[in-house]
């Protein structure tokens, strides 16, 4: 009986430890007012290209609906690393990220060139609307 009780305690302790390690590292942005500044903690986590919203946004802006809608999976880490994966599973480090001003996300590649996006949250922080320097949209959504 003592062995079973001890085994149960050890099992529950390990389960609690594993559950704690698997917690969601990203913070969903709250329902913020238009024009509110982006915060670093809102950006951390995994984001996936939202093909439908990107297509709609580009079409409404007069661009081809096919722009920027390849399946992409981004991971922005809390140590300012930026990774990307085609499959969503194996992420490759591409460079660093930072916020500038109230609404600009800058992705700096290891080779040195920078991608700058005007960014805002929609859908209670689930969708991040990114607009590049040419005015084209790339909408990403949480893909935790």
């Amino acid at each position: 009986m003592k062995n079973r009780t001890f085994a149960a305690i050890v099992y529950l302790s390990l389960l609690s430890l594993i559950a704690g390690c698997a917690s969601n590292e990203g913070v969903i942005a709250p329902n913020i007012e238009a024009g509110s500044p982006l915060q670093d903690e809102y950006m951390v986590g995994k984001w996936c290209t939202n093909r439908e919203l990107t297509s709609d946004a580009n079409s409404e802006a007069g661009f081809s609906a096919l722009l920027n809608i390849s399946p992409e999976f981004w991971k922005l880490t809390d140590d300012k690393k930026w990774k990307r994966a085609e499959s969503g599973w194996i992420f490759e480090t591409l460079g660093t990220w930072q916020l500038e001003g109230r609404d600009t996300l800058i992705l700096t590649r290891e080779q040195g060139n920078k991608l700058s996006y005007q960014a805002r949250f929609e859908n209670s922080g689930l969708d991040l609307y990114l607009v590049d320097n040419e005015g084209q949209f790339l909408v990403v959504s949480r893909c935790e």
Side-chain angles (χ1 to χ4, degrees):
M1 185 69 166
K2 289 183 181 179
N3 286 343
R4 285 185 184 169
T5 303
F6 180 74
I9 291 172
V10 169
Y11 176 76
L12 289 174
S13 298
L14 288 173
L15 188 61
S16 297
L17 180 63
I18 291 170
C21 292
S23 65
N24 186 355
E25 66 178 356
V27 176
I28 300 298
N31 205 358
I32 55 179
E33 297 288 325
S36 294
L38 300 180
Q39 311 244 352
D40 286 352
E41 57 266 27
Y42 299 159
M43 306 300 298
V44 173
K46 295 179 186 175
W47 298 86
C48 307
T49 303
N50 188 322
R51 295 168 62 100
E52 183 178 342
L53 287 179
T54 296
S55 176
D56 291 346
N58 277 317
S59 293
E60 290 171 8
F63 299 113
S64 166
L66 301 177
L67 292 172
N68 296 324
I69 59 171
S70 62
E72 280 191 309
F73 299 84
W74 296 4
K75 184 175 182 183
L76 305 179
T77 63
D78 55 8
D79 62 350
K80 300 292 190 167
K81 301 291 184 200
W82 164 49
K83 302 177 179 183
R84 193 177 73 191
E86 293 300 322
S87 67
W89 295 100
I90 300 174
F91 284 86
E92 173 188 0
T93 300
L94 291 183
T96 57
W97 66 274
Q98 69 183 59
L99 297 178
E100 183 177 274
R102 297 175 63 84
D103 65 350
T104 302
L105 170 65
I106 299 175
L107 303 177
T108 304
R109 294 183 180 268
E110 290 176 344
Q111 294 83 6
N113 57 331
K114 295 181 180 180
L115 302 173
S116 177
Y117 293 97
Q118 295 299 302
R120 72 177 191 276
F121 287 106
E122 294 287 333
N123 191 18
S124 299
L126 295 177
D127 296 316
L128 182 64
Y129 279 65
L130 302 174
V131 183
D132 68 14
N133 292 333
E134 297 176 3
Q136 297 172 357
F137 291 82
L138 177 61
V139 181
V140 291
S141 300
R142 285 285 182 180
C143 60
E144 307 285 354

